[in-house]
Amino acid sequence: MRKSLLSIVSFFGLFTVSCSNIEFNEITSKVVIVQPIVIQSDNGNHPAKINLSEKLVDRAYSKADIDFLYLEPLYYNNTKAREGKINLDSIVSLAKINNILRGQNDIVNMFFVNAIDGNSGPTGRGMMNGNIVFIALGNDEKSNSGDLDSMNAFVVAHEVGHNLGLKHVVDDPNINDSLPNIQGDGDFKDRIDPKYSLTDFQIKEIYNSPLVHSRISFLSKNEASIAILDESFEPYFSNLQVKEISTFVQEKAPIDIDSARVFAKKKFSSAVLDFSPDEKEVLFFVVNKTNKWLLDNEINLMANQPWRFIKIDNWLCGGFAHTRGSFIIISQAYLDRLTVDWNAVMSKEKESRLVTSLGGLLVHEQMHSLQRTFKSKFDRLYSKNWNFIKHQVKAENEIIIDQVSNPDAPIAEWIIPDPKDKKKFYWIRTLITKNVDIPIMGRDFVDIAFEINNKNNTYSVSKVNDTLSSMPLSDLDFYNKSFPVKRGLDHPNEISAYMFSDFFKARYNSKTPFLNKDSISNNNSNFFLKWIKSEMK
């Protein structure tokens, strides 16, 4: 690793751009995104301790108006790594090989282990000005629970402080080392007390870190050219095919698949643009209105997720809004339509139309961000409530070459059981129509339901005389009646996003969502409403 993990904390002796006047009043203005990575045994059990007081960590940074957003934990099986029997650089190298690390140096990847280099917790190491932290929480049953909570919270606050560029107080002449501080000495409760935890100098240093994000951020052209290529949450460019690349960029891609994927990355990066002040202002206004509604309705999972925007030229992906990682991607044409009639002083009627329209789009796209960062919540909705079956289907080259990789649902991992025949299953794929030189987004797409065989828990496409068994999705009558939306039926990620958008628009205007006479659709709608209450708090 180019940056070494030098910081150690041990506790048994030696401590070692404002775009508008509108502001978030309900939640902090800045956020640090944390991806917990929990190391467990080789057999996938006995994970390292992860329970800690998030409120105490947030309290330590409250003077800087920073909240820590913890994404859903990832789990990695390695007994030696969990017990501190292999060095940290080796653990990070293994994590990279297994595609566990998240973000583009803009997310803290926090490994939870039982010991670090053989030393049990509470202890930690953080990469100075980096994005890697190792935490071994204390588990001393004899300790006072309040003291242990403060101690563990201090470990996290201290080590992430190094990620954010903070030195130990004894090594920093700008900080008074006689007072408690998250990088200094003293009682643990005092060190994380916002009265002492951070100085004004340290706060300025923290704000220079690429790990600290505004609740609403607009990526510059340089930043966006990197962020739009992010594959740390799921594969995208590495799975694209020649035909769909030509479709997305509206230019003939190289025939060689490796060259075509390199070409795709260059084209996607070249499509990003800078936001204008007016564009920032209208998005800022609508996000604030949307977030206030989300908080008022206790939909905190979405409200707390940062709103991070990338702007693209109209030719990329047909100008359709989509997402990559935790970023929402919006085209110039869409922003042009929004800003024509925009002004800071609007009638209530115009404001409601604007928030309903743009806010409806934004919550749809933010749902896709949540689907990546809180995956198990959506898996429960899809499998337990909506009866989808999660399983990989054996790939067929005939499908692969004509595939359309939905950037918001790139993994085709959900199968539909036939409610009247337990032996029948369907798998939906969007394909590009045949014999089109450079296909047009949407116009040249068709949704196909393939019949699926299940043999010894291996799912594959059924064939009749070497022909894949399929039908247009529109002919799958029971499925089309299962949900109140008629778009996005190719993947439950799209179904839930369209349904949440409709839910938001109806409720924002004091109307009842999902008024439908079909009993199956009503059941799935009711499941969704209950899921929102239980999983998006």
Side-chain angles (χ1 to χ4, degrees):
M1 296 169 59
R2 285 169 33 187
K3 300 175 184 175
S4 59
L5 291 150
L6 296 176
S7 170
I8 295 183
V9 180
S10 182
F11 305 102
F12 303 106
L14 180 69
F15 94 89
T16 33
V17 178
S18 180
C19 304
S20 168
N21 292 325
I22 305 163
E23 295 178 357
F24 281 112
N25 295 318
E26 296 86 353
I27 54 179
T28 61
S29 65
K30 297 185 182 297
V31 63
V32 171
I33 305 171
V34 178
Q35 176 60 72
I37 302 169
V38 185
I39 311 295
Q40 52 192 9
S41 74
D42 293 338
N43 297 325
N45 52 26
H46 304 300
K49 182 181 178 183
I50 189 174
N51 294 331
L52 65 107
S53 174
E54 296 179 12
K55 289 183 179 179
L56 287 177
V57 178
D58 285 340
R59 191 165 181 264
Y61 282 86
S62 60
K63 189 176 179 181
D65 200 28
I66 290 174
D67 172 54
F68 278 47
L69 172 65
Y70 297 87
L71 306 181
E72 182 175 276
L74 302 174
Y75 290 85
Y76 178 56
N77 300 348
N78 192 313
T79 302
K80 288 183 178 180
R82 185 193 63 187
E83 299 306 318
K85 294 181 178 179
I86 58 177
N87 68 59
L88 304 187
D89 285 354
S90 296
I91 298 172
V92 173
S93 295
L94 289 169
K96 288 180 178 178
I97 292 170
N98 288 278
N99 298 316
I100 291 174
L101 300 183
R102 294 291 183 259
Q104 301 291 316
N105 299 314
D106 60 343
I107 294 174
V108 174
N109 288 272
M110 186 176 290
F111 290 82
F112 286 88
V113 293
N114 287 341
I116 297 173
D117 292 335
N119 299 312
S120 59
T123 186
R125 287 195 186 183
M127 179 188 288
M128 189 71 178
N129 291 311
N131 66 331
I132 304 291
V133 167
F134 280 83
I135 302 294
L137 296 176
N139 195 24
D140 187 354
E141 296 178 357
K142 297 179 181 179
S143 298
N144 178 282
S145 61
D147 291 341
L148 186 60
D149 285 345
S150 296
M151 193 183 296
N152 284 332
F154 170 75
V155 176
V156 174
H158 177 99
E159 297 303 340
V160 173
H162 289 312
N163 284 171
L164 302 177
L166 300 185
K167 302 175 184 177
H168 289 131
V169 168
V170 294
D171 299 324
D172 194 335
N174 298 289
I175 312 297
N176 184 346
D177 62 3
S178 66
L179 296 175
N181 188 278
I182 63 168
Q183 299 301 331
D185 205 350
D187 291 339
F188 296 113
K189 287 184 179 179
D190 291 338
R191 290 193 239 183
I192 60 174
D193 188 323
K195 180 179 179 181
Y196 307 105
S197 58
L198 294 169
T199 68
D200 290 342
F201 175 83
Q202 287 174 312
I203 292 172
K204 289 180 181 178
E205 289 292 295
I206 288 171
Y207 286 170
N208 290 325
S209 171
L211 296 169
V212 176
H213 310 289
S214 298
R215 285 284 175 183
I216 309 172
S217 57
F218 306 94
L219 272 66
S220 68
K221 186 173 182 177
N222 288 338
E223 293 168 331
S225 67
I226 298 170
I228 200 169
L229 301 181
D230 180 64
E231 289 189 278
S232 64
F233 286 92
E234 60 201 357
Y236 184 67
F237 294 96
S238 55
N239 288 343
L240 291 181
Q241 300 299 311
V242 172
K243 204 169 180 180
E244 60 183 328
I245 291 171
S246 298
T247 306
F248 296 151
V249 305
Q250 284 299 284
E251 186 177 328
K252 197 73 173 175
I255 296 175
D256 173 69
I257 188 60
D258 292 331
S259 300
R261 288 169 180 169
V262 171
F263 168 77
K265 288 184 177 182
K266 288 180 179 178
K267 294 297 290 185
F268 272 70
S269 283
S270 72
V272 301
L273 303 168
D274 285 313
F275 287 89
S276 72
D278 284 349
E279 291 163 353
K280 291 179 180 179
E281 192 170 11
V282 66
L283 284 168
F284 203 89
F285 177 85
V286 173
V287 169
N288 271 281
K289 291 291 183 181
T290 301
N291 238 42
K292 184 179 185 307
W293 183 89
L294 292 168
L295 289 167
D296 289 345
N297 288 273
E298 297 185 326
I299 305 177
N300 301 315
L301 187 74
M302 183 175 288
N304 288 325
Q305 189 91 339
W307 299 82
R308 312 174 75 191
F309 293 103
I310 292 173
K311 184 171 105 172
I312 57 169
D313 212 338
N314 299 326
W315 54 264
L316 183 64
C317 295
F320 289 102
H322 59 283
T323 60
R324 175 111 339 97
S326 59
F327 302 101
I328 296 173
I329 302 171
I330 302 181
S331 70
Q332 179 68 70
Y334 190 81
L335 290 167
D336 286 343
R337 292 197 297 273
L338 287 173
T339 53
V340 168
D341 298 321
W342 158 251
N343 61 74
V345 182
M346 291 183 293
S347 67
K348 288 293 182 183
E349 185 179 350
K350 285 186 176 180
E351 178 186 302
S352 179
R353 284 202 301 268
L354 174 64
V355 176
T356 300
S357 174
L358 176 55
L361 171 74
L362 296 184
V363 298
H364 174 113
E365 300 304 332
Q366 193 74 318
M367 280 289 276
H368 291 314
S369 175
L370 294 174
Q371 286 158 1
R372 295 186 180 100
T373 51
F374 296 92
K375 195 172 179 63
S376 70
K377 288 178 177 288
F378 291 86
D379 284 359
R380 286 192 288 272
L381 171 67
Y382 303 159
S383 59
K384 292 185 178 181
N385 296 141
W386 288 351
N387 295 322
F388 285 90
I389 298 171
K390 188 175 185 179
H391 212 291
Q392 291 295 323
V393 175
K394 183 181 177 182
E396 294 285 346
N397 191 58
E398 184 179 337
I399 297 173
I400 292 172
I401 60 173
D402 289 335
Q403 72 180 22
V404 177
S405 298
N406 183 341
D408 301 320
I411 304 174
E413 58 188 352
W414 295 100
I415 300 166
I416 305 161
D418 190 314
K420 294 182 178 179
D421 187 343
K422 292 183 179 181
K423 295 182 180 180
K424 262 192 175 182
F425 306 90
Y426 298 93
W427 184 48
I428 302 172
R429 297 302 307 269
T430 301
L431 302 182
I432 299 169
T433 53
K434 305 284 187 182
N435 304 317
V436 180
D437 190 34
I438 299 181
I440 302 298
M441 289 285 296
R443 187 194 72 183
D444 293 319
F445 294 173
V446 58
D447 289 332
I448 301 294
F450 290 94
E451 282 194 36
I452 299 298
N453 281 326
N454 176 14
K455 187 175 182 180
N456 299 322
N457 209 33
T458 297
Y459 291 82
S460 59
V461 180
S462 301
K463 296 181 181 180
V464 177
N465 297 325
D466 292 329
T467 299
L468 302 181
S469 298
S470 67
M471 68 178 78
L473 178 59
S474 56
D475 290 349
L476 200 61
D477 192 51
F478 78 87
Y479 180 69
N480 285 282
K481 292 179 178 178
S482 295
F483 298 97
V485 294
K486 300 307 174 188
R487 294 185 295 171
L489 293 175
D490 57 298
H491 196 287
N493 277 5
E494 290 293 357
I495 296 170
S496 60
Y498 275 110
M499 286 181 68
F500 191 84
S501 178
D502 287 353
F503 164 79
F504 166 77
K505 289 186 284 189
R507 287 283 178 86
Y508 190 84
N509 292 289
S510 302
K511 296 179 180 178
T512 302
F514 311 135
L515 292 176
N516 194 300
K517 295 181 180 180
D518 190 279
S519 59
I520 301 175
S521 176
N522 281 339
N523 284 338
N524 285 334
S525 298
N526 290 332
F527 282 135
F528 186 61
L529 294 173
K530 291 177 182 177
W531 178 88
I532 290 172
K533 285 185 178 181
S534 64
E535 297 288 354
M536 296 191 73
K537 283 186 178 179

